mmCIF file of all heavy atoms in Angstrom:
data_model
loop_
_atom_site.group_PDB
_atom_site.id
_atom_site.type_symbol
_atom_site.label_atom_id
_atom_site.label_comp_id
_atom_site.label_asym_id
_atom_site.label_seq_id
_atom_site.Cartn_x
_atom_site.Cartn_y
_atom_site.Cartn_z
ATOM 1 N N ARG A 64 117.527 25.506 36.989
ATOM 2 C CA ARG A 64 117.616 26.826 37.528
ATOM 3 C C ARG A 64 118.453 26.863 38.908
ATOM 4 O O ARG A 64 119.116 27.933 39.146
ATOM 5 C CB ARG A 64 116.305 27.464 37.741
ATOM 6 C CG ARG A 64 116.095 28.857 38.232
ATOM 7 C CD ARG A 64 116.450 29.797 37.046
ATOM 8 N NE ARG A 64 116.202 31.271 37.492
ATOM 9 C CZ ARG A 64 116.473 32.232 36.773
ATOM 10 N NH1 ARG A 64 117.062 32.098 35.589
ATOM 11 N NH2 ARG A 64 116.202 33.452 37.213
ATOM 12 N N ILE A 217 122.049 35.775 36.364
ATOM 13 C CA ILE A 217 122.004 34.426 37.012
ATOM 14 C C ILE A 217 122.402 33.245 36.008
ATOM 15 O O ILE A 217 123.128 32.327 36.486
ATOM 16 C CB ILE A 217 120.708 34.225 37.665
ATOM 17 C CG1 ILE A 217 120.473 35.290 38.783
ATOM 18 C CG2 ILE A 217 120.568 32.817 38.235
ATOM 19 C CD1 ILE A 217 119.094 35.285 39.440
ATOM 20 N N THR A 241 114.559 42.575 37.478
ATOM 21 C CA THR A 241 113.454 41.996 37.058
ATOM 22 C C THR A 241 113.082 40.942 38.069
ATOM 23 O O THR A 241 113.872 40.513 38.936
ATOM 24 C CB THR A 241 113.564 41.369 35.589
ATOM 25 O OG1 THR A 241 114.498 40.313 35.740
ATOM 26 C CG2 THR A 241 114.193 42.426 34.685
ATOM 27 N N LEU A 242 111.909 40.329 37.839
ATOM 28 C CA LEU A 242 111.448 39.180 38.713
ATOM 29 C C LEU A 242 112.502 37.940 38.490
ATOM 30 O O LEU A 242 112.760 37.359 39.465
ATOM 31 C CB LEU A 242 110.104 38.728 38.132
ATOM 32 C CG LEU A 242 109.546 37.531 38.878
ATOM 33 C CD1 LEU A 242 109.014 37.925 40.223
ATOM 34 C CD2 LEU A 242 108.353 36.941 38.018
ATOM 35 N N MET A 243 112.961 37.774 37.294
ATOM 36 C CA MET A 243 113.792 36.638 37.119
ATOM 37 C C MET A 243 115.289 36.889 37.663
ATOM 38 O O MET A 243 116.065 36.012 37.703
ATOM 39 C CB MET A 243 113.953 36.286 35.649
ATOM 40 C CG MET A 243 112.690 35.850 35.019
ATOM 41 S SD MET A 243 111.894 34.392 35.849
ATOM 42 C CE MET A 243 113.063 33.168 35.438
ATOM 43 N N GLY A 244 115.580 38.158 37.902
ATOM 44 C CA GLY A 244 116.961 38.431 38.338
ATOM 45 C C GLY A 244 117.106 38.583 39.861
ATOM 46 O O GLY A 244 118.325 38.866 40.392
ATOM 47 N N LEU A 245 116.113 38.307 40.623
ATOM 48 C CA LEU A 245 116.199 38.431 41.992
ATOM 49 C C LEU A 245 117.311 37.410 42.606
ATOM 50 O O LEU A 245 117.331 36.334 42.259
ATOM 51 C CB LEU A 245 114.845 38.186 42.752
ATOM 52 C CG LEU A 245 113.725 39.150 42.351
ATOM 53 C CD1 LEU A 245 112.372 38.685 43.014
ATOM 54 C CD2 LEU A 245 114.058 40.543 42.731
ATOM 55 N N GLY A 246 118.100 38.122 43.488
ATOM 56 C CA GLY A 246 119.179 37.274 44.115
ATOM 57 C C GLY A 246 120.528 37.455 43.476
ATOM 58 O O GLY A 246 121.534 37.239 44.152
ATOM 59 N N TYR A 392 115.341 27.246 49.414
ATOM 60 C CA TYR A 392 115.165 27.513 47.960
ATOM 61 C C TYR A 392 113.547 27.757 47.853
ATOM 62 O O TYR A 392 112.759 27.058 48.506
ATOM 63 C CB TYR A 392 115.509 26.412 46.992
ATOM 64 C CG TYR A 392 116.891 26.059 47.063
ATOM 65 C CD1 TYR A 392 117.691 25.423 47.985
ATOM 66 C CD2 TYR A 392 117.620 26.638 45.912
ATOM 67 C CE1 TYR A 392 118.964 25.232 47.956
ATOM 68 C CE2 TYR A 392 119.000 26.383 45.778
ATOM 69 C CZ TYR A 392 119.617 25.638 46.818
ATOM 70 O OH TYR A 392 121.067 25.439 46.703
ATOM 71 N N ILE A 393 113.210 28.714 47.030
ATOM 72 C CA ILE A 393 111.789 29.071 46.825
ATOM 73 C C ILE A 393 111.344 28.790 45.458
ATOM 74 O O ILE A 393 112.059 29.388 44.495
ATOM 75 C CB ILE A 393 111.558 30.517 47.244
ATOM 76 C CG1 ILE A 393 111.942 30.790 48.766
ATOM 77 C CG2 ILE A 393 110.077 30.970 47.115
ATOM 78 C CD1 ILE A 393 111.018 30.030 49.743
ATOM 79 N N THR A 394 110.203 28.135 45.201
ATOM 80 C CA THR A 394 109.591 28.119 43.955
ATOM 81 C C THR A 394 108.233 28.786 44.190
ATOM 82 O O THR A 394 107.768 29.036 45.243
ATOM 83 C CB THR A 394 109.501 26.747 43.386
ATOM 84 O OG1 THR A 394 108.306 26.039 44.244
ATOM 85 C CG2 THR A 394 110.694 25.947 43.531
ATOM 86 N N THR A 395 107.576 29.160 43.125
ATOM 87 C CA THR A 395 106.207 29.757 43.125
ATOM 88 C C THR A 395 105.387 29.161 42.105
ATOM 89 O O THR A 395 105.807 28.686 41.104
ATOM 90 C CB THR A 395 106.206 31.249 43.093
ATOM 91 O OG1 THR A 395 106.391 31.574 41.758
ATOM 92 C CG2 THR A 395 107.276 31.895 43.918
ATOM 93 N N GLN A 401 102.855 34.989 43.968
ATOM 94 C CA GLN A 401 104.107 35.197 43.294
ATOM 95 C C GLN A 401 104.644 36.525 43.447
ATOM 96 O O GLN A 401 105.870 36.728 43.831
ATOM 97 C CB GLN A 401 103.927 34.871 41.817
ATOM 98 C CG GLN A 401 105.260 34.911 40.898
ATOM 99 C CD GLN A 401 104.918 34.770 39.478
ATOM 100 O OE1 GLN A 401 103.833 35.227 39.010
ATOM 101 N NE2 GLN A 401 105.812 34.238 38.737
ATOM 102 N N MET A 402 103.820 37.501 43.285
ATOM 103 C CA MET A 402 104.361 38.903 43.400
ATOM 104 C C MET A 402 104.676 39.269 44.860
ATOM 105 O O MET A 402 105.619 39.929 45.229
ATOM 106 C CB MET A 402 103.311 39.906 42.840
ATOM 107 C CG MET A 402 103.116 39.746 41.339
ATOM 108 S SD MET A 402 104.634 40.125 40.360
ATOM 109 C CE MET A 402 105.112 38.427 39.885
ATOM 110 N N ALA A 404 105.574 37.186 47.127
ATOM 111 C CA ALA A 404 106.839 36.485 47.344
ATOM 112 C C ALA A 404 108.036 37.269 46.873
ATOM 113 O O ALA A 404 109.016 37.422 47.631
ATOM 114 C CB ALA A 404 106.846 35.124 46.752
ATOM 115 N N ALA A 405 107.920 37.801 45.677
ATOM 116 C CA ALA A 405 109.025 38.578 45.164
ATOM 117 C C ALA A 405 109.258 39.965 45.984
ATOM 118 O O ALA A 405 110.418 40.340 46.075
ATOM 119 C CB ALA A 405 108.673 39.004 43.639
ATOM 120 N N TYR A 408 110.002 38.355 50.235
ATOM 121 C CA TYR A 408 110.992 37.426 50.632
ATOM 122 C C TYR A 408 112.305 37.854 50.004
ATOM 123 O O TYR A 408 112.457 38.053 48.799
ATOM 124 C CB TYR A 408 110.609 36.010 50.002
ATOM 125 C CG TYR A 408 111.337 34.976 50.730
ATOM 126 C CD1 TYR A 408 110.628 34.159 51.620
ATOM 127 C CD2 TYR A 408 112.750 34.636 50.511
ATOM 128 C CE1 TYR A 408 111.333 33.020 52.343
ATOM 129 C CE2 TYR A 408 113.307 33.618 51.175
ATOM 130 C CZ TYR A 408 112.649 32.886 52.046
ATOM 131 O OH TYR A 408 113.330 31.847 52.748
ATOM 132 N N PHE A 410 115.854 37.755 48.842
ATOM 133 C CA PHE A 410 116.831 36.872 48.269
ATOM 134 C C PHE A 410 118.235 37.475 48.240
ATOM 135 O O PHE A 410 118.540 38.483 47.699
ATOM 136 C CB PHE A 410 116.447 36.535 46.841
ATOM 137 C CG PHE A 410 115.092 35.735 46.810
ATOM 138 C CD1 PHE A 410 113.961 36.363 46.688
ATOM 139 C CD2 PHE A 410 115.215 34.318 47.012
ATOM 140 C CE1 PHE A 410 112.750 35.567 46.568
ATOM 141 C CE2 PHE A 410 113.978 33.590 47.108
ATOM 142 C CZ PHE A 410 112.832 34.223 46.800
ATOM 143 N N GLU A 412 121.173 35.511 47.541
ATOM 144 C CA GLU A 412 121.996 34.804 46.608
ATOM 145 C C GLU A 412 121.247 34.347 45.301
ATOM 146 O O GLU A 412 120.023 34.190 45.342
ATOM 147 C CB GLU A 412 122.601 33.508 47.332
ATOM 148 C CG GLU A 412 123.274 33.726 48.597
ATOM 149 C CD GLU A 412 124.697 34.437 48.325
ATOM 150 O OE1 GLU A 412 125.270 34.312 47.137
ATOM 151 O OE2 GLU A 412 125.193 35.091 49.251
ATOM 152 N N PRO A 413 122.023 34.202 44.298
ATOM 153 C CA PRO A 413 121.422 33.665 43.061
ATOM 154 C C PRO A 413 121.032 32.171 43.194
ATOM 155 O O PRO A 413 121.542 31.501 44.062
ATOM 156 C CB PRO A 413 122.479 33.938 42.051
ATOM 157 C CG PRO A 413 123.759 33.836 42.780
ATOM 158 C CD PRO A 413 123.495 34.468 44.142
ATOM 159 N N HIS A 414 120.207 31.794 42.223
ATOM 160 C CA HIS A 414 119.856 30.314 42.136
ATOM 161 C C HIS A 414 118.952 29.874 43.245
ATOM 162 O O HIS A 414 118.772 28.761 43.559
ATOM 163 C CB HIS A 414 120.939 29.390 41.970
ATOM 164 C CG HIS A 414 121.899 29.750 40.906
ATOM 165 N ND1 HIS A 414 121.585 29.605 39.627
ATOM 166 C CD2 HIS A 414 123.185 30.291 40.907
ATOM 167 C CE1 HIS A 414 122.607 29.963 38.857
ATOM 168 N NE2 HIS A 414 123.605 30.482 39.616
ATOM 169 N N ARG A 415 118.390 30.805 44.041
ATOM 170 C CA ARG A 415 117.439 30.404 45.126
ATOM 171 C C ARG A 415 115.998 30.612 44.847
ATOM 172 O O ARG A 415 115.195 30.359 45.628
ATOM 173 C CB ARG A 415 117.840 31.192 46.468
ATOM 174 C CG ARG A 415 119.278 30.871 46.825
ATOM 175 C CD ARG A 415 119.360 29.618 47.487
ATOM 176 N NE ARG A 415 120.774 29.251 47.824
ATOM 177 C CZ ARG A 415 121.061 28.345 48.805
ATOM 178 N NH1 ARG A 415 120.155 27.838 49.523
ATOM 179 N NH2 ARG A 415 122.366 28.103 48.951
ATOM 180 N N TRP A 416 115.667 31.327 43.779
ATOM 181 C CA TRP A 416 114.366 31.797 43.392
ATOM 182 C C TRP A 416 113.963 31.137 41.995
ATOM 183 O O TRP A 416 114.557 31.420 41.026
ATOM 184 C CB TRP A 416 114.476 33.280 43.293
ATOM 185 C CG TRP A 416 113.336 34.021 42.709
ATOM 186 C CD1 TRP A 416 113.332 34.767 41.539
ATOM 187 C CD2 TRP A 416 111.942 34.160 43.175
ATOM 188 N NE1 TRP A 416 112.139 35.308 41.311
ATOM 189 C CE2 TRP A 416 111.273 34.936 42.327
ATOM 190 C CE3 TRP A 416 111.249 33.643 44.404
ATOM 191 C CZ2 TRP A 416 109.926 35.258 42.408
ATOM 192 C CZ3 TRP A 416 109.899 34.023 44.407
ATOM 193 C CH2 TRP A 416 109.228 34.797 43.612
ATOM 194 N N MET A 417 113.033 30.278 42.055
ATOM 195 C CA MET A 417 112.490 29.661 40.879
ATOM 196 C C MET A 417 111.093 30.001 40.617
ATOM 197 O O MET A 417 110.185 29.560 41.395
ATOM 198 C CB MET A 417 112.712 28.090 40.969
ATOM 199 C CG MET A 417 113.978 27.465 40.571
ATOM 200 S SD MET A 417 115.441 28.065 41.462
ATOM 201 C CE MET A 417 115.068 27.683 43.121
ATOM 202 N N THR A 418 110.866 30.718 39.511
ATOM 203 C CA THR A 418 109.490 31.227 39.274
ATOM 204 C C THR A 418 109.252 31.268 37.695
ATOM 205 O O THR A 418 110.252 31.342 37.046
ATOM 206 C CB THR A 418 109.296 32.477 39.870
ATOM 207 O OG1 THR A 418 107.819 32.781 39.983
ATOM 208 C CG2 THR A 418 109.830 33.644 39.155
ATOM 209 N N ILE A 447 105.695 28.559 47.313
ATOM 210 C CA ILE A 447 104.718 29.549 47.567
ATOM 211 C C ILE A 447 103.715 29.539 46.594
ATOM 212 O O ILE A 447 103.871 29.847 45.339
ATOM 213 C CB ILE A 447 105.367 30.953 47.784
ATOM 214 C CG1 ILE A 447 106.398 30.878 48.890
ATOM 215 C CG2 ILE A 447 104.274 32.013 48.081
ATOM 216 C CD1 ILE A 447 107.238 32.211 49.177
#
Side-chain angles (χ1 to χ4, degrees):
R64 183 79 173 168
I217 293 173
T241 67
L242 179 74
M243 298 302 294
L245 297 177
Y392 292 81
I393 300 294
T394 72
T395 77
Q401 177 190 31
M402 295 298 107
Y408 200 102
F410 294 95
E412 298 293 334
H414 304 289
R415 299 287 173 152
W416 166 247
M417 274 57 64
T418 194
I447 297 175

